[in-house]
Amino acid sequence: MAGHIKRRTIASNLDKVGETVLLEKIASGMTMAGLARELNISNLSLYHWIRKDPDREERFKQARTIAADQWADECLDIADASDSVSANADRLKIETRKWLAGVAAPEKFQAKPTAAVQVNVNQLHLDALRQLNLASSNPHESEQEVTIDITPPKQVGSHNLDADDLPGVFDDD
């Protein structure tokens, strides 16, 4: 029962501070934990107050999206002010802000997956040598032009799977 009284008191105090003031602090880049510290309340109490009203929760999500732009701007400022002495600490600050921005506004700041391309030059070289060896061992082809296919075999994954890549399913023969 005491927890409910305390929660109501905290909610009343947050209402007195004003939602607009709190939203401005969040939108300016203050973290929820920093805001809770400043208000001398627990993170959980702040989250309970925010989630009590679905419209308020949506406004706080929008403020966090605005904060993501702030964190991205801070990354640039940190990178510009970095020197050889503080480079490692600055890199950590930048990576943390990039992560926060990616969580707060994933459609804008989350890293996009990249296509991994792996080419084994040694294997291509060996395949070309084998083809040359086969061509030179056949005396009837010595007078003809030899064409060596050095294109790597197509690596099939779920990202580039076509019906043509399925063995025997759609073959017309």
Side-chain angles (χ1 to χ4, degrees):
M1 191 78 175
H4 292 292
I5 294 170
K6 186 176 180 182
R7 197 174 293 158
R8 277 189 241 137
T9 304
I10 290 171
S12 172
N13 290 340
L14 288 171
D15 289 334
K16 287 178 188 173
V17 171
E19 184 180 324
T20 305
V21 172
L22 300 177
L23 286 170
E24 287 175 358
K25 289 181 184 238
I26 293 298
S28 70
M30 182 179 273
T31 63
M32 298 295 267
L35 182 59
R37 263 192 313 274
E38 185 178 292
L39 297 169
N40 292 322
I41 61 172
S42 70
N43 292 353
L44 190 58
S45 295
L46 180 60
Y47 283 111
H48 278 296
W49 178 76
I50 291 170
R51 290 192 177 123
K52 188 171 68 173
D53 178 6
D55 292 333
R56 179 186 297 145
E57 187 174 8
E58 183 60 34
R59 288 189 293 273
F60 270 86
K61 284 180 183 176
Q62 290 172 355
R64 295 275 293 187
T65 302
I66 294 168
D69 289 324
Q70 175 69 25
W71 293 322
D73 289 343
E74 286 178 12
C75 288
L76 183 60
D77 293 340
I78 293 168
D80 288 343
S82 184
D83 58 18
S84 61
V85 176
S86 65
N88 286 332
D90 291 341
R91 186 176 297 114
L92 178 61
K93 291 176 186 177
I94 290 170
E95 288 300 317
T96 303
R97 282 163 177 78
K98 280 173 47 179
W99 177 80
L100 280 171
V103 169
E107 65 284 345
K108 188 171 185 181
F109 293 110
Q110 197 168 46
K112 309 293 185 272
T114 58
V117 177
Q118 181 179 0
V119 176
N120 187 339
V121 176
N122 290 334
Q123 186 62 43
L124 291 174
H125 182 72
L126 287 172
D127 289 344
L129 288 174
R130 283 186 193 114
Q131 287 180 3
L132 276 175
N133 228 2
L134 289 174
S136 64
S137 66
N138 191 347
H140 299 292
E141 292 184 7
S142 61
E143 299 169 0
Q144 298 176 354
E145 184 177 320
V146 176
T147 304
I148 301 172
D149 181 19
I150 60 169
T151 57
K154 183 176 182 180
Q155 293 187 359
V156 178
S158 61
H159 62 283
N160 66 351
L161 186 62
D162 296 325
D164 298 335
D165 299 324
L166 299 173
V169 176
F170 296 103
D171 290 343
D172 291 283
D173 335 283

